[in-house]
């Protein structure tokens, strides 16, 4: 009997040690790709630029701003010091008018500045492939084919600390039901053979909800805002998730529901999240929801009263952006508290009568807008900077016409 007890005690001790060893291994797991990435401080040249994380095919460096217009099939640069702008191709023999040009870009998955190069996705034999080019338009090279299937709604590709992050909403049929599926994946930059890691995925019935997402990154945490919107009941359900890129641990930060309000943008700033909300009411009122990320709570819901019910609402660092296009394009800029900074009309180019407007980022204390027309015989586009200072007027940084559509 005594011998049996001793054996039982040894067995329990072994199980206990094994259990502790497993826990320790999980806690010590480190998926960072370089020692310099083991910091929560912002790393210029290695961190995703949150200002361009959604619907903005743009990025910037200390010297230049890079962007793709809506209707043009080429990538452009704007030199911040000289004010010069042109297609991003450094080949002097190139006519810059075909798919052989270094600046040719046929998809809108986004662009990223990373470690001295501009990265973007091109279609390569019907497959998404990641390319890189020098900031002066030279040395275009294929980096790798993506493992992520990017066919779907609102495809997005960004680079952060050696990883490629892809996201897309796919329309599928599952057991006879029409579904939307959001999938966010992580691939290793420059290592095509590495298997993609699924960071997050969720499916909903497309007859009940629309499915939408926003990605932001701070340090080694990827934040995923997931929106499920029901147009019939005018209801929005949302959840904010945090994915630790070092440990690959995921947790829900906060969740909520809005009646009669819909999400139009999301951005992080100083460990706070901000959600832009619009309504279908004809009262010109919009809202910004603050999220206390460390405290995992919803903060203040700020009303933005513009007096114009036709505005779209976007966000940049410290700025709430109301804007509208068509025949009388205009803007309405406030701070996070709803205090008016600047409002006015956006000038039309010669030959433009109606325009579509996109927010393209923030540059030198001003908001960047892209004005595009595609209902005219000629396709004219312009990149404008609207200063936050009401004493300054909007300025045109670039204008052109689309060659390939």
């Amino acid at each position: 009997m005594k011998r049996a007890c001793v054996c039982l005690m040894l067995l329990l001790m072994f199980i206990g040690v094994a259990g502790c060893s497993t826990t320790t291994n999980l806690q010590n797991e480190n998926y960072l790709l370089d020692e310099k990435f083991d910091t929560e401080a912002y790393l210029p040249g290695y961190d995703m630029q949150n200002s361009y994380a959604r619907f903005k095919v743009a990025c910037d460096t200390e010297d230049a701003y890079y962007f793709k217009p809506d209707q043009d099939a080429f990538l452009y640069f704007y030199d911040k010091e000289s004010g010069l702008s042109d297609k991003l191709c450094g080949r002097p023999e190139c006519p810059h008018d075909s798919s052989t040009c270094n600046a040719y870009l046929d998809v809108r998955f986004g662009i990223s500045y990373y470690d001295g190069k501009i990265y973007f996705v091109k279609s390569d034999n019907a497959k998404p492939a990641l390319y890189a080019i020098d900031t002066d338009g030279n040395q275009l090279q294929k980096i790798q084919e993506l493992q992520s299937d990017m066919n779907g709604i609102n495809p997005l590709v960004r680079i952060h600390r050696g990883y490629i992050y892809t996201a897309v909403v796919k329309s599928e049929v599952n057991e006879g039901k029409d579904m939307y599926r959001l999938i966010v994946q992580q691939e290793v930059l420059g290592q095509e053979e590495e298997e993609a890691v699924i960071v997050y995925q969720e499916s909903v019935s497309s007859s009940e909800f629309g499915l939408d997402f926003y990605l932001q990154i701070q340090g080694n945490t990827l934040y995923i805002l997931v929106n499920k919107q029901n147009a019939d009941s005018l209801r929005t359900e949302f959840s904010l998730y945090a994915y630790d890129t070092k440990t690959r641990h995921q947790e829900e930060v906060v969740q909520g529901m809005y009646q009669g309000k819909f999400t139009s943008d999301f951005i992080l700033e100083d460990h706070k999240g901000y959600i832009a909300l619009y309504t279908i009411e004809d009262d010109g009122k919009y809202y910004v929801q603050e999220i206390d990320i460390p405290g995992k709570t919803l903060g203040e819901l700020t009303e933005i009263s513009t007096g114009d019910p036709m505005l779209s609402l976007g966000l940049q660092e410290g700025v709430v952006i109301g804007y509208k296009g068509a025949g009388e394009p205009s803007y309405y800029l406030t701070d996070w508290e709803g205090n008016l900074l600047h409002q006015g009309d956006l000038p039309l180019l010669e030959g433009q009568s109606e325009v579509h407007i996109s927010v393209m980022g923030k540059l030198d204390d001003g908001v960047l807008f892209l004005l595009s027309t595609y209902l005219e015989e000629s396709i004219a586009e312009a990149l404008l900077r609207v200063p936050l200072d009401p004493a300054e007027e909007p300025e045109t940084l670039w204008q052109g016409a689309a060659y390939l559509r």
Side-chain angles (χ1 to χ4, degrees), residues 249-263:
H249 171 73
Q250 177 189 292
E251 65 175 354
E252 185 178 66
V253 178
V254 70
Q255 63 175 317
M257 189 273 288
Y258 294 112
Q259 190 66 41
K261 297 181 180 68
F262 300 93
T263 302

Side-chain angles (χ1 to χ4, degrees), residues 380-395:
E381 297 188 281
L383 182 70
L384 274 66
R385 173 183 169 272
V386 174
L388 300 183
D389 186 348
E392 299 181 33
E393 295 295 322
E395 62 173 327

Side-chain angles (χ1 to χ4, degrees), residues 48-243:
M48 186 179 87
Q49 297 175 339
N50 286 330
S51 295
Y52 309 114
R54 183 68 191 276
F55 298 137
K56 304 171 186 71
V57 187
C59 65
D60 74 277
T61 67
E62 185 177 346
D63 301 319
Y65 172 79
Y66 301 86
F67 66 100
K68 181 190 179 300
D70 281 340
Q71 300 299 305
D72 206 316
F74 294 90
L75 189 61
Y76 287 80
F77 73 90
Y78 168 80
D79 188 281
K80 295 179 180 180
E81 182 175 353
S82 68
L84 296 176
S85 60
D86 207 340
K87 294 187 177 76
L88 186 63
C89 180
R91 295 164 47 217
E93 76 281 3
C94 180
H96 312 307
D97 60 0
S98 72
S99 60
T100 62
C101 178
N102 280 1
Y104 179 74
L105 185 56
D106 57 347
V107 296
R108 294 182 54 83
F109 294 175
I111 61 177
S112 299
Y113 173 68
Y114 186 82
D115 197 15
K117 293 182 179 292
I118 308 297
Y119 287 81
F120 47 85
V121 174
K122 301 177 70 169
S123 179
D124 194 345
N125 296 321
K127 294 182 179 180
L130 185 68
Y131 282 75
I133 191 171
D134 290 349
T135 55
D136 61 2
N138 287 300
Q139 302 299 322
L140 176 67
Q141 58 178 322
K142 179 179 176 180
I143 303 301
Q144 67 198 82
E145 289 188 0
L146 296 180
Q147 296 187 28
S148 304
D149 180 3
M150 301 308 295
N151 290 319
I153 305 168
N154 297 331
L156 177 72
V157 177
R158 290 293 187 272
I159 300 176
H160 182 83
R161 301 190 178 187
Y163 284 115
I164 306 164
Y165 292 94
T166 69
V168 67
V169 175
K170 306 187 74 63
S171 181
E172 302 174 331
V173 177
N174 187 1
E175 297 182 351
K177 296 182 179 180
D178 293 329
M179 307 289 290
Y180 287 129
R181 179 168 65 98
L182 166 62
I183 180 167
V184 181
Q185 298 185 82
Q186 180 192 66
E187 303 187 30
V188 179
L189 177 63
Q191 298 184 27
E192 185 179 288
E193 70 283 355
E194 285 285 333
E195 185 177 354
V197 174
I198 296 178
V199 172
Y200 178 86
Q201 65 176 333
E202 179 176 357
S203 296
V204 299
S205 171
S206 60
S207 64
E208 297 181 30
F209 290 100
L211 190 58
D212 196 15
F213 68 92
Y214 295 86
L215 301 186
Q216 296 275 281
I217 292 185
Q218 283 188 343
N220 289 310
T221 305
L222 170 67
Y223 293 93
I224 308 168
L225 181 69
V226 181
N227 294 292
K228 293 179 284 186
Q229 302 181 355
N230 187 303
D232 294 331
S233 64
L234 304 181
R235 185 176 83 254
T236 296
E237 300 176 7
F238 71 91
S239 295
L240 179 64
Y241 297 94
Y243 174 79

Side-chain angles (χ1 to χ4, degrees), residues 4-17:
C5 290
V6 171
C7 291
L8 179 60
M9 290 176 64
L10 290 173
L11 178 61
L12 291 174
M13 288 174 62
F14 174 78
I15 294 174
V17 170

